[in-house]
Amino acid sequence: MRFTGEAAPRAVHRSAHEDFPGWHRRIRAEAADHVRDFVVRRAAEHLTPETEVIGRVLTDFVGRGKYLRSTFVLAGWLCGAAETPAALRAAASAELLHCFALIQDDVMDESATRRGRPAAHVRFADWHRRCGLTGSAERFGESAAVLAADLCLVWAAQMLRESGLPADAVSRALPRYDWLRAELAVGQFRDLVNQVAEEPSLGEVLAVARAKSGHYTVRRPLELGAELAGCDQEVIGALGEYGDAIGEAFQLRDDLLGVFGDPATTGKPLGDDLRAGKATSVVVVARDLATPAQRRELDGLRGGASADEAELRRWVRLIEGTGARAEVERLIDERLHRGVAALAAAPIPVVARDHLTGLALACGERGR
């Protein structure tokens, strides 16, 4: 079933001013339904009995996300047009792009869990063992996950094209879509470089945050939605300023959750970023603020891949003792204020402005 026949989709009529929490919950639920339906249909077309495990893993994986990037695409659309079913399907396609990134990220980081469950490469490795296949189950799992991620990348573009939006709108937005995808790959590479760098500066870490997460999570999805809706450059420019600031706030919060977050909430093990040796903003700020004695202790705790829980908790207490947590909270608040202020003078509908304000707080204050 294709949606490309909808030349002029009708606007969705909701209450005059749907509150942000209700709107956010509805958009996530409806987008998730669209993506699951799309994956099930594509899997039925392409997968055979010996490859259907890919469909099982992906169908489960796409249903458990926060759908934040999809929501930002739709918020960008609302800056120039009313919500339609086609616009929501187009926005939902961003979740498949995100699944591509997450699956590959877990392989590169050797993360065992994602969204509170075994990561895709772990599930594929388990399937290999149950089937009694030859060779390394771990190597098979990683290879299968990369291929499943590739499917998500292909299907994301297909879902956007088949969303039902006019072909000229999709064509107009494709350069921004291409930029988003290329920037994501380059940002991921910069993240790899930062992991092996001895002592990256906070400026370098934030530059990676902008390229890998900030632009990819907030700015580019917003610009993509606005371009699809035909917004002018004044609106897109304001959304870019907002996106830069809120994207950084999102990544800074992510870094805090990577050290201090509750595994029951984050779906990741305690101190996962510390075990991986990531040079996150929290780690870099802690190093910069540490006293000489604290700095020596921090240096002694590097390379924590084999650290037990007691050592990780000691590491977390030491980082907090430097004042890094409070400083990163300050940086987040600063960016939230800057991002919302960027919208003040732009000709954006009230409902879009309210939802963007709500999304800014959702990015910067989650898990707080």
Side-chain angles (χ1 to χ4, degrees):
M1 177 180 179
R2 295 170 65 92
F3 298 111
T4 48
E6 294 184 5
R10 295 191 305 274
V12 175
H13 296 288
R14 304 287 177 184
S15 61
H17 184 70
E18 190 175 11
D19 68 292
F20 172 75
W23 176 80
H24 197 193
R25 285 191 299 270
R26 176 177 66 80
I27 293 306
R28 184 202 175 282
E30 293 182 8
D33 286 343
H34 284 311
V35 174
R36 276 194 300 264
D37 178 64
F38 188 87
V39 169
V40 167
R41 288 186 284 120
R42 295 291 83 78
E45 289 176 358
H46 296 290
L47 302 181
T48 57
E50 65 270 21
T51 60
E52 57 86 25
V53 63
I54 300 174
R56 289 204 310 272
V57 171
L58 291 182
T59 301
D60 177 64
F61 195 86
V62 301
R64 292 184 282 112
K66 296 182 179 66
Y67 281 72
L68 183 60
R69 289 148 196 86
S70 302
T71 308
F72 273 117
V73 174
L74 188 62
W77 169 274
L78 292 176
C79 291
E83 182 186 327
T84 67
L88 181 52
R89 285 192 293 270
S93 71
E95 183 63 19
L96 282 172
L97 179 61
H98 186 45
C99 288
F100 153 77
L102 290 183
I103 292 170
Q104 292 205 348
D105 195 55
D106 286 341
V107 172
M108 287 183 279
D109 289 349
E110 299 179 288
S111 295
T113 61
R114 171 65 68 177
R115 295 173 171 173
R117 298 188 191 178
H121 63 280
V122 174
R123 293 189 60 180
F124 284 122
D126 289 343
W127 181 82
H128 177 282
R129 293 187 192 94
R130 289 195 304 272
C131 292
L133 302 180
T134 60
S136 165
E138 287 73 23
R139 181 62 177 160
F140 173 89
E142 292 170 351
S143 300
V146 169
L147 294 172
D150 289 344
L151 268 181
C152 288
L153 181 64
V154 172
W155 287 347
Q158 185 178 1
M159 188 174 181
L160 175 62
R161 292 196 312 272
E162 297 179 1
S163 63
L165 290 182
D168 61 336
V170 175
S171 178
R172 180 176 62 237
L174 282 180
R176 290 192 184 275
Y177 190 58
D178 291 340
W179 189 271
L180 186 165
R181 291 181 293 177
E183 194 171 49
L184 168 61
V186 174
Q188 184 66 37
F189 183 82
R190 293 183 68 177
D191 193 36
L192 289 174
V193 172
N194 262 16
Q195 287 183 44
V196 299
E198 283 298 315
E199 291 190 345
S201 68
L202 180 59
E204 290 168 333
V205 170
L206 290 178
V208 171
R210 282 191 294 274
K212 181 198 171 190
S213 183
H215 285 180
Y216 157 68
T217 301
V218 184
R219 180 174 181 173
R220 303 309 182 203
L222 270 177
E223 292 174 339
L224 176 63
E227 195 76 78
L228 286 167
C231 291
D232 62 28
Q233 289 307 305
E234 181 182 3
V235 170
I236 292 176
L239 292 177
E241 291 182 40
Y242 165 96
D244 275 346
I246 303 307
E248 279 192 32
F250 175 87
Q251 185 57 50
L252 289 166
R253 177 61 61 193
D254 212 47
D255 290 350
L256 279 176
L257 291 173
V259 175
F260 301 106
D262 179 0
T265 302
T266 64
K268 304 289 285 182
L270 173 71
D272 206 41
D273 284 354
L274 297 177
R275 286 186 188 276
K278 288 186 175 182
T280 67
S281 60
V282 179
V283 172
V284 173
V285 170
R287 182 199 69 204
D288 292 346
L289 295 179
T291 65
Q294 288 172 326
R295 181 73 176 273
R296 286 192 296 273
E297 196 171 356
L298 283 170
D299 289 344
L301 288 169
R302 285 185 177 181
S306 60
D308 60 26
E309 189 165 317
E311 290 173 309
L312 282 173
R313 292 192 182 282
R314 176 183 161 220
W315 203 346
V316 169
R317 287 194 300 272
L318 177 60
I319 289 173
E320 184 154 21
T322 66
R325 186 175 191 171
E327 174 60 12
V328 175
E329 290 282 9
R330 186 191 68 78
L331 294 173
I332 291 171
D333 288 342
E334 177 184 274
R335 282 153 178 78
L336 291 179
H337 284 99
R338 176 159 36 102
V340 173
L343 303 176
I348 294 172
V350 171
V351 64
R353 191 187 312 276
D354 288 350
H355 290 337
L356 286 169
T357 301
L359 283 168
L361 296 176
C363 284
E365 299 189 349
R366 70 194 196 282
R368 195 169 194 173

